């Protein structure tokens, strides 16, 4: 997951996902799988037997027989985290996305930008911090790219084109300026 995906995800949440592994598994078990072991296995992308072990461990933890987190491999813990992220606050995510696609979003970014333009100009990359209101069509393109499984580079190109249009060439200046987005130091989105 790249900086842009993470920025979109952070902006879509009103509350962070549960921090503890037991709480994440309990969320999947109760809210997503509706206490069905096969549905839990499908949601987390693990075998039914593994899901059964998790449910047994959840019950043991609730009764005080298990101290600490459910025993789990790092790969399975990552699967649980992905499943929770994908299903956490679906109505809030839908509303935030709709609002961003209609009204736009505020982009805060510090990155290295490369420029190319007419002769006698520089193509030397420069680090800049930019805060810019982006219109809804940029949000639509970013979400469509994310939904289609676009790479970080493809999403960066969408942002570079949008920043070129709405920041660097704003008001008709620098019409032939092409902008490349390189090396994002940090980025945040306000939707």
């Amino acid at each position: 997951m790249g900086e842009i995906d993470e920025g979109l995800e952070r902006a879509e949440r009103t509350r962070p996902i549960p921090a503890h592994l037991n709480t994440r598994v309990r969320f999947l078990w109760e809210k997503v799988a509706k206490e069905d072991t096969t549905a839990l296995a499908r949601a987390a992308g693990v075998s039914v037997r593994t899901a059964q072990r998790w449910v047994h461990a959840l019950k043991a933890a609730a009764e005080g027989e298990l101290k600490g987190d459910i025993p789990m491999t790092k790969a399975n813990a990552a699967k649980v985290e992905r499943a929770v992220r994908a299903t956490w606050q679906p109505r809030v995510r839908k509303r935030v996305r709709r609002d961003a696609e209609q009204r736009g979003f505020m982009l805060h970014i510090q990155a290295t930008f490369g420029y190319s333009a007419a002769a006698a100009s520089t193509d030397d990359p420069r680090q800049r911090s930019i805060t810019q209101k982006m219109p809804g069509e940029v949000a639509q393109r970013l979400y469509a790219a994310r939904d289609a499984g676009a790479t970080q580079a493809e999403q960066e190109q969408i942002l570079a084109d949008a920043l070129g249009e709405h920041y660097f060439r704003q008001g008709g200046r620098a019409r032939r300026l092409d902008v490349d987005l390189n090396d994002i130091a940090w980025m945040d989105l306000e939707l």
Side-chain angles (χ1 to χ4, degrees), residues 27-46:
F27 168 77
L28 289 176
W29 172 243
E30 293 173 356
K31 303 293 185 192
V32 178
K34 307 287 189 221
E35 299 189 6
D36 177 21
T37 311
T38 306
L40 175 62
R42 196 175 324 113
V46 296

Side-chain angles (χ1 to χ4, degrees), residues 61-82:
E63 294 172 2
E65 296 173 12
L66 175 68
K67 303 291 184 206
D69 284 336
I70 296 171
M72 187 179 302
T73 65
K74 287 183 180 182
N76 283 347
K79 288 179 183 179
V80 167
E81 181 178 351
R82 278 193 301 273

Side-chain angles (χ1 to χ4, degrees), residues 2-136:
E3 290 94 352
I4 298 171
D5 284 335
E6 289 173 2
L8 286 171
E9 186 173 307
R10 274 192 313 271
E12 289 176 338
R13 308 243 184 268
T14 57
R15 291 181 307 158
I17 68 168
H20 298 289
L21 185 59
N22 290 7
T23 312
R24 290 176 180 176
V25 173
R26 185 175 299 110
F27 168 77
L28 289 176
W29 172 243
E30 293 173 356
K31 303 293 185 192
V32 178
K34 307 287 189 221
E35 299 189 6
D36 177 21
T37 311
T38 306
L40 175 62
R42 196 175 324 113
V46 296
S47 70
V48 175
R49 180 64 189 124
T50 299
Q52 289 170 344
R53 277 191 231 108
W54 293 350
V55 171
H56 180 72
L58 274 179
K59 290 176 182 176
E63 294 172 2
E65 296 173 12
L66 175 68
K67 303 291 184 206
D69 284 336
I70 296 171
M72 187 179 302
T73 65
K74 287 183 180 182
N76 283 347
K79 288 179 183 179
V80 167
E81 181 178 351
R82 278 193 301 273
V84 170
R85 285 187 189 282
T87 56
W88 187 250
Q89 295 185 316
R91 291 186 304 216
V92 171
R93 292 174 65 191
K94 191 176 197 178
R95 178 182 40 108
V96 168
R97 179 176 177 161
R98 183 189 65 233
D99 290 348
E101 289 177 344
Q102 290 174 355
R103 296 187 208 128
F105 63 95
M106 186 66 71
L107 173 67
H108 306 280
I109 189 168
Q110 182 176 8
T112 304
F113 292 90
Y115 312 96
S116 57
S121 68
T122 181
D123 61 354
D124 191 25
R126 300 173 189 167
Q127 180 132 13
R128 292 188 139 195
S129 295
I130 297 174
T131 297
Q132 178 67 34
K133 174 77 170 153
M134 303 304 274

